[in-house]
Amino acid sequence: MRRIIRKITSYFIPPKKPTVPVYGDEPLILTRDEHNISRSDLDKAALDVLYGFKRSGHDAHLVGGCVRDLLLGLEPKDFDIVTDAEPDEVKQVFKQRCQLIGRRFRLAHVRFGRLVIEVATFRGQGEGQGSTERKDRFGRNGKFSGAAREVDDAGRLVRDNVYGTMEEDAWRRDFTVNALYYNIKDFTIVDYTGGLDDIDAGQMRLIGDPETRYREDPVRMIRAVRFAAKLGFKIEKYTEAPMVKMASLLRDVSHARMFEEVLKLFHSGVAVQVFEKLRHYHMFEHLFPLTDQILSEEQDGFPRMLVIEALKSTDSRIRQGKTVNPSFLFAALLWEPMLQRKNEHLDSGMHHQDALFAAANDVIEQQIKCTAIPKRFTAQIREIWSYQYRLPNRQGDRAQKLREHPRFRAAYDFMGIRVAAGETELQEVFDWWTLYQEKDAVEQVAFANAVERPERSKKPRKNRNFYRKRSQTNRSQTNE
Ligand code: ATP
Ligand code: MG
């Protein structure tokens, strides 16, 4: 009987709500023996900078992704350091090693050989939490430094150079798991915002009111997606709730920054998951509107497969420590829109070469309204595309000329993903090039001389209706 009563009462006791820290709470501090980060995990240059500050009497902490990743047993991408020294003081500590950069966020770059360590000064809050204590907390002399903090009419943060305390610095960061500090003085980990609990719970939680924080900087939405994919975390429900509604704000982000962010998204090693999530939260349509439109019209899943195959190949190269090329990524993401445009130009009577050129121009022109694409990459994208039509014409000494072109390898890999995505008619040409590359110079000549000239009927016009034909075939198969 007693057991039953206990059972019933425990059933009716509401579960204890996890308490989320608020500004002003004492931080949670993990001592050295309570966490797994050891100095041997740290980059030598980062340690040199930390100790440089320590010797000169300044506070210095590792912060952001490196602390998060080390706690999770992952290898950090870079080491960010934050200090109470203002940029000019950082310059005094590191002299000619140090270069001050940035207007929106003034930062110091400290150089050790080829390595550059980014050093930021603790940023203050501006508005919101802690505002009653602003006078004491802004800068050590109670003054604003540099061009201070500025939010434009749309709520976007256009400048953030108000210096503050470590606690303020923590609360203006994006996610709780990115706001953990490793203190070089005593090797403790300091957590103001609940990041350690969120690491345990495996979730990305935005610090502060999500809508305000996304309005300040819409890039935080895609950062949520990137980290969730990379860490295998979920996005906490309040952090997730406004994402779809606010995704269109991504259109207002500077195109140059968007290009950099797109590279971080798709060169993260988890591009496939990132892509799925971007589609899920309706963000992809603001990054690649032309591609998104084609995906929504997709037939038999075919166009989508090409994008997925390209992302899979990018992920696997990154996992193997190989280099990845932004132009390959953009060529793959924009290939279907380019083909569609090209077919329209062909229908209007244009010659193949002109249609390809015009379609490439159209698509690139549209895309740079969302993400910049630096000129050197647009040139490479065009080459990868035009090589798709040149690789089949490999007879005689053409083969060697094609092989020697700097974009050959990317174009060959690109053809590989087309084959993997289902364009089986390209298999033969692709396999031929695979074999060609395995041969020595003498064998290559004989191999290329043995190729027959391609028949006219095999030229790109046949390609035009490829998707249509495929879908018709599949439809008739399913109807049977
Ligand atoms: P990774 O380097 O692995 O991509 P990261 O978290 O270190 O991840 P960075 O872009 O290097 O990301 O930024 C370093 C830190 O700066 C972040 O961890 C976060 O604390 C802060 N930060 C970066 N971008 C923003 C932002 N848009 N808004 C607020 N804080 C940010
Ligand atoms: Mg980082």
Side-chain angles (χ1 to χ4, degrees):
M1 186 63 188
R2 205 180 270 167
R3 203 189 285 155
I4 290 170
I5 290 170
R6 202 180 301 140
K7 232 183 180 173
I8 290 171
T9 37
S10 70
Y11 180 76
F12 285 109
I13 293 171
K16 219 177 127 207
K17 261 194 175 170
T19 46
V20 177
V22 292
Y23 184 87
D25 281 355
E26 280 300 310
L28 175 63
I29 296 179
L30 295 189
T31 57
R32 172 63 195 95
D33 51 358
E34 289 172 324
H35 65 77
N36 62 319
I37 302 183
S38 125
R39 267 162 296 162
S40 61
D41 299 332
L42 311 186
D43 198 285
K44 164 95 173 58
L47 265 181
D48 285 344
V49 175
L50 289 169
Y51 280 124
F53 280 122
K54 193 174 169 183
R55 274 195 301 276
S56 58
H58 289 292
D59 276 349
H61 297 76
L62 284 178
V63 68
C66 58
V67 181
R68 174 198 72 210
D69 290 349
L70 289 170
L71 285 170
L72 288 165
L74 304 170
E75 194 182 328
K77 212 175 71 190
D78 49 26
F79 289 84
D80 293 310
I81 289 177
V82 72
T83 171
D84 62 350
E86 290 191 14
D88 294 339
E89 294 170 310
V90 180
K91 180 94 191 150
Q92 279 167 25
V93 177
F94 294 100
K95 310 245 162 25
Q96 62 273 40
R97 284 190 186 283
C98 170
Q99 195 190 355
L100 301 184
I101 58 147
R103 248 170 63 85
R104 189 166 172 265
F105 294 98
R106 203 152 164 70
L107 296 169
H109 275 178
V110 182
R111 194 172 290 276
F112 280 89
R114 277 173 43 240
L115 278 175
V116 174
I117 301 288
E118 199 165 277
V119 178
T121 305
F122 290 138
R123 292 301 200 275
Q125 278 295 315
E127 303 293 332
Q129 306 105 326
S131 56
T132 52
E133 289 160 281
R134 282 174 63 171
K135 274 198 188 97
D136 307 324
R137 286 172 174 269
F138 280 142
R140 266 151 300 123
N141 304 321
K143 66 174 188 225
F144 288 86
S145 293
R149 191 169 209 260
E150 225 179 89
V151 176
D152 71 5
D153 294 343
R156 262 177 307 170
L157 195 53
V158 287
R159 199 162 293 176
D160 190 0
N161 286 317
V162 177
Y163 303 128
T165 60
M166 181 158 129
E167 179 175 13
E168 285 175 326
D169 186 87
W171 286 94
R172 60 157 285 287
R173 288 182 179 273
D174 49 3
F175 301 96
T176 60
V177 298
N178 286 352
L180 298 166
Y181 298 78
Y182 172 86
N183 188 346
I184 193 63
K185 275 196 182 138
D186 54 10
F187 317 122
T188 54
I189 296 205
V190 187
D191 176 15
Y192 287 97
T193 63
L196 288 167
D197 278 349
D198 285 331
I199 283 199
D200 281 345
Q203 62 181 8
M204 298 305 302
R205 182 202 300 272
L206 201 64
I207 297 172
D209 170 55
E211 292 202 11
T212 312
R213 302 300 317 274
Y214 290 144
R215 214 167 288 119
E216 274 178 1
D217 183 4
V219 164
R220 289 173 184 150
M221 289 185 270
I222 49 182
R223 284 173 64 85
V225 162
R226 174 158 64 93
F227 295 129
K230 174 178 151 173
L231 307 171
F233 279 20
K234 60 180 187 285
I235 302 177
E236 180 266 340
K237 69 173 178 187
Y238 294 106
T239 302
E240 182 182 49
M243 283 184 13
V244 171
K245 184 176 80 181
M246 299 183 83
S248 63
L249 293 182
L250 290 167
R251 294 265 179 165
D252 304 334
V253 177
S254 101
H255 301 165
R257 186 168 177 219
M258 223 45 188
F259 173 73
E260 296 300 328
E261 292 300 328
V262 162
L263 294 190
K264 286 189 201 164
L265 283 168
F266 292 116
H267 290 169
S268 58
V270 284
V272 176
Q273 291 94 314
V274 161
F275 170 73
E276 302 284 1
K277 286 187 197 298
L278 290 175
R279 293 263 291 158
H280 175 76
Y281 293 115
H282 292 260
M283 291 178 195
F284 188 73
E285 64 203 57
H286 301 295
L287 304 181
F288 289 90
L290 295 178
T291 317
D292 190 77
Q293 200 185 337
I294 294 219
L295 294 177
S296 51
E297 294 163 7
E298 80 188 43
Q299 293 174 330
D300 320 325
F302 184 78
R304 187 162 187 214
M305 282 315 292
L306 183 103
V307 171
I308 294 278
E309 285 303 326
L311 299 180
K312 271 201 230 161
S313 134
T314 307
D315 285 347
S316 111
R317 287 185 70 87
I318 290 194
R319 271 197 293 274
Q320 294 168 53
K322 292 187 183 166
T323 55
V324 281
N325 183 348
S327 45
F328 184 88
L329 177 74
F330 276 80
L333 285 163
L334 298 173
W335 170 248
E336 304 292 346
M338 190 285 290
L339 276 187
Q340 199 178 52
R341 265 326 262 138
K342 179 169 151 276
N343 287 340
E344 286 162 19
H345 287 312
L346 287 173
D347 286 342
S348 69
M350 255 191 207
H351 177 263
H352 162 79
Q353 198 59 34
D354 296 339
L356 174 65
F357 189 80
N361 274 352
D362 296 345
V363 168
I364 290 171
E365 204 175 291
Q366 286 296 312
Q367 181 58 32
I368 59 178
K369 290 182 185 161
C370 300
T371 65
I373 312 177
K375 276 246 158 54
R376 64 181 188 285
F377 296 130
T378 58
Q380 293 181 8
I381 295 169
R382 288 170 208 276
E383 284 170 343
I384 293 173
W385 286 342
S386 82
Y387 257 60
Q388 299 310 301
Y389 301 95
R390 295 179 66 185
L391 287 179
N393 290 331
R394 59 204 188 277
Q395 68 283 1
D397 48 7
R398 285 176 185 218
Q400 198 192 346
K401 286 210 185 84
L402 291 168
R403 175 70 189 86
E404 281 166 2
H405 191 278
R407 222 56 58 216
F408 169 81
R409 188 66 208 192
Y412 162 80
D413 288 343
F414 194 91
M415 187 173 266
I417 59 160
R418 291 176 64 199
V419 171
E423 287 190 73
T424 44
E425 60 176 12
L426 295 171
Q427 185 80 56
E428 189 196 324
V429 174
F430 181 70
D431 289 346
W432 187 91
W433 277 110
T434 309
L435 286 175
Y436 181 85
Q437 291 172 80
E438 288 163 3
K439 296 185 184 297
D440 65 30
V442 179
E443 289 170 342
Q444 282 179 343
V445 172
F447 195 51
N449 283 337
V451 177
E452 283 175 31
R453 276 184 75 82
E455 289 165 36
R456 277 234 155 257
S457 61
K458 282 196 181 155
K459 285 214 153 175
R461 274 223 154 235
K462 189 180 174 195
N463 230 8
R464 277 179 64 201
N465 294 325
F466 181 73
Y467 305 129
R468 212 174 304 154
K469 274 195 193 142
R470 243 179 94 88
S471 77
Q472 277 162 3
T473 325
N474 279 14
R475 224 175 289 140
S476 58
Q477 276 167 358
T478 40
N479 288 344
E480 270 166 17

